[in-house]
Amino acid sequence: MARDKAVLWHPFTQMQDWVRDVPGPPLCIVAGDGNWLVDVDGNRYLDGVASLWCNTHGHRHPSIDSAIRDQLDRIAHTTLLGLTHPKAIEAAEAIVDLLPTGLERVFFSENGASAVEVALKMALRYWQLEGEPDRTTFVSLEDAYHGDTIGAVSVGGIDLFHEAFGPLLFPGVHAPTARRRPDGSKPSLDELLSGMEAALRATSGRVAAVVIEPLVQGAAGMQCFPDGYVRGVRNLCDDEGTLLICDEVATGFGRTGKMFAVEHDGVAPDIIVLGKGITGGYLPMSATVTTGGVYDAFLGLTEEGRHLFHGHTYSGNPLAAAACVATIEVFETERTLEQMAVNDHVLAAHLEKISHLGPVVDVRRRGYMVGIELDPDTVATPLPARAVCQAVRLDGVVLRNLGDVVVWMPPLSITSDEIDLLGSATAKAIGALR
Ligand SMILES: *Cc1c(COP(=O)(O)O)cnc(C)c1O
């Protein structure tokens, strides 16, 4: 730990706390085993946030491990710039097979934020190529989170993460989030959609795309939108004649109980952004997938310069692509979504109990995306959600809060016994707040 503290700068971490062991000594993870993490002292912890929302089928899954090893015996990396390789082709085919009809062209990047940048550039450039160069404005949601690069932050809306970087950001327009109001009420479907309609009306003719996290705004604290919202936004985009970008980096690959969140409303966006679970949480990979219509606009002679000027060194990396293909296969072989549906009532029962605990003001959930919001004014403990995440370690659970929200984002492979542990450890820690 002394060596860590001497050299590492951890993401989204107040390092002054970290080096002083606040709120507790950091864990050093040396191994994984199914839904569990193992620390340097051999202690085992349930991976309650799926190693930052990305693990889907557990750690050291035999078939994902062997797919990566098999690829390693061939080649670890080759480029998609001017060359191709079998695993990128297989991964793209497998992704297209899963997605709603119409999304058929896959552009690989290395992380969610980069894939969002690609989506923004694709949309902007699409309108230039289509002869509507005034469509340069992006409409996004209040409290949105699309990653930490400058374009992704520009369409973001979380003040704590984004405000400081204001001078670097391009302007945009925000539509209302589903966050509960100070009086405890939540906006209705009609209110949310008329807010979006107003944002589109104010920018009519200038909108390059509407960008949303469909169904659940993750980093905003698991804010859940009502059914019908994504369909409503799709219709509004069609009326305005603009593109819809759905960022499914968090919600994609089974998180919400369907393979993609847009399926709940039976909607297809023009561009979908994928990341996190795309490799089962094994290796960095993301994808921006679009329609034949958007793709076709970029076709022409090389010297016309219509092609997309964007790419990353490790775009479509073969090891990551192998993990992606194997991860998608496991959804089939282990019937992951069916198993989630079977365990759903176990999760629901724990959350029902937790919702009655004193400091809990709201419990939000869609599939295996859960936010338990605490009211810091009801307890003396400062940063109570952080304190809860620290306390559950004593019961062998790793969690990470978002502000006042305790998050559960377990691997989709979590068993009912493990859900029981997650539920009882969290309830105990919240109950112990003073
Ligand atoms: C995590 C996340 C991102 C950013 O992905 P990175 O791989 O961390 O860059 C983008 N959008 C959403 C909705 C996310 O949850």
Side-chain angles (χ1 to χ4, degrees):
M1 281 319 303
R3 285 166 57 198
D4 171 291
K5 290 172 181 179
V7 70
L8 282 178
W9 189 340
H10 290 263
F12 277 108
T13 300
Q14 176 43 262
M15 292 305 292
Q16 180 171 303
D17 283 349
W18 177 271
V19 299
R20 293 177 186 174
D21 290 353
V22 174
L27 292 181
C28 180
I29 304 301
V30 296
D33 176 18
N35 304 319
W36 295 78
L37 301 169
V38 183
D39 78 5
V40 68
D41 300 317
N43 299 310
R44 292 167 61 84
Y45 301 89
L46 183 64
D47 189 356
V49 287
S51 295
L52 236 291
W53 311 3
C54 60
N55 191 284
T56 53
H57 304 305
H59 299 278
R60 289 180 56 207
H61 191 286
S63 54
I64 307 174
D65 283 12
S66 77
I68 295 170
R69 282 202 195 95
D70 187 55
Q71 181 58 42
L72 192 54
D73 285 338
R74 294 160 200 271
I75 188 168
H77 182 64
T78 165
T79 181
L80 287 187
L81 280 68
L83 301 174
T84 192
H85 64 83
K87 281 298 168 192
I89 299 168
E90 283 176 41
E93 285 174 346
I95 290 167
V96 166
D97 276 351
L98 290 179
L99 284 170
T101 317
L103 292 163
E104 58 186 44
R105 200 48 80 158
V106 182
F107 190 104
F108 283 119
S109 304
E110 301 153 354
N111 58 70
S114 298
V116 168
E117 303 286 341
V118 172
L120 301 177
K121 283 186 171 180
M122 250 180 209
L124 185 89
R125 187 73 183 125
Y126 168 76
W127 289 116
Q128 292 171 358
L129 296 169
E130 288 290 287
E132 292 198 53
D134 292 338
R135 289 195 176 274
T136 58
T137 301
F138 289 92
V139 175
S140 57
L141 293 177
E142 295 166 351
D143 289 353
Y145 180 79
H146 297 290
D148 297 322
T149 54
I150 296 303
V153 171
S154 295
V155 291
I158 300 181
D159 285 348
L160 185 65
F161 295 179
H162 300 151
E163 208 172 16
F165 305 108
L168 296 179
L169 307 181
F170 58 76
V173 176
H174 285 311
T177 167
R179 174 172 23 103
R180 59 189 272 289
R181 305 188 186 95
D183 69 5
S185 67
K186 289 182 187 175
S188 67
L189 178 60
D190 276 355
E191 288 170 311
L192 290 167
L193 286 175
S194 37
M196 178 60 81
E197 195 176 1
L200 281 168
R201 208 178 302 122
T203 49
S204 189
R206 293 184 285 120
V207 186
V210 172
V211 187
I212 59 170
E213 293 164 79
L215 212 60
V216 187
Q217 284 188 296
M222 306 300 150
Q223 304 297 343
C224 296
F225 284 69
D227 282 329
Y229 179 74
V230 182
R231 171 161 295 283
V233 174
R234 171 76 271 183
N235 293 341
L236 290 170
C237 288
D238 290 345
D239 293 347
E240 165 58 25
T242 196
L243 302 176
L244 174 61
I245 299 174
C246 285
D247 175 355
E248 292 232 29
V249 171
T251 52
F253 292 97
R255 260 299 138 199
T256 66
K258 292 193 186 285
M259 195 54 87
F260 299 103
V262 292
E263 291 174 32
H264 291 272
D265 271 0
V267 166
D270 301 286
I271 301 177
I272 196 164
V273 183
L274 307 174
K276 291 199 167 102
I278 192 169
T279 61
Y282 266 66
L283 287 163
M285 175 178 246
S286 60
T288 311
V289 189
T290 192
T291 60
V294 170
Y295 168 79
D296 284 346
F298 288 77
L299 302 180
L301 299 173
T302 298
E303 49 273 33
E304 289 179 80
R306 295 173 74 96
H307 49 292
L308 184 59
F309 285 84
H310 191 104
H312 296 282
T313 307
Y314 290 99
S315 292
N317 170 264
L319 294 174
C324 170
V325 172
T327 294
I328 290 172
E329 279 167 8
V330 174
F331 273 99
E332 285 266 318
T333 52
E334 295 186 357
R335 305 194 160 279
T336 306
L337 299 182
E338 286 95 322
Q339 199 49 50
M340 284 173 72
V342 169
N343 287 339
D344 195 81
H345 71 280
V346 185
L347 205 67
H350 281 286
L351 289 172
E352 219 289 308
K353 276 188 222 145
I354 286 171
S355 71
H356 298 295
L357 297 173
V360 176
V361 285
D362 195 26
V363 172
R364 299 179 284 270
R365 175 169 88 96
R366 201 73 202 227
Y368 282 9
M369 298 180 87
V370 179
I372 302 164
E373 185 169 343
L374 308 181
D375 180 354
D377 296 335
T378 61
V379 288
T381 316
L383 306 176
R386 185 178 79 165
V388 166
C389 294
Q390 189 62 32
V392 295
R393 288 191 185 174
L394 299 172
D395 288 318
V397 176
V398 162
L399 293 178
R400 182 175 167 86
N401 63 302
L402 284 163
D404 294 327
V405 179
V406 177
V407 171
W408 289 355
M409 267 287 214
L412 308 184
S413 50
I414 190 170
T415 65
S416 60
D417 285 350
E418 290 163 349
I419 295 172
D420 283 340
L421 171 64
L422 188 58
S424 59
T426 306
K428 182 174 145 196
I430 295 175
L433 289 170
R434 290 287 169 264

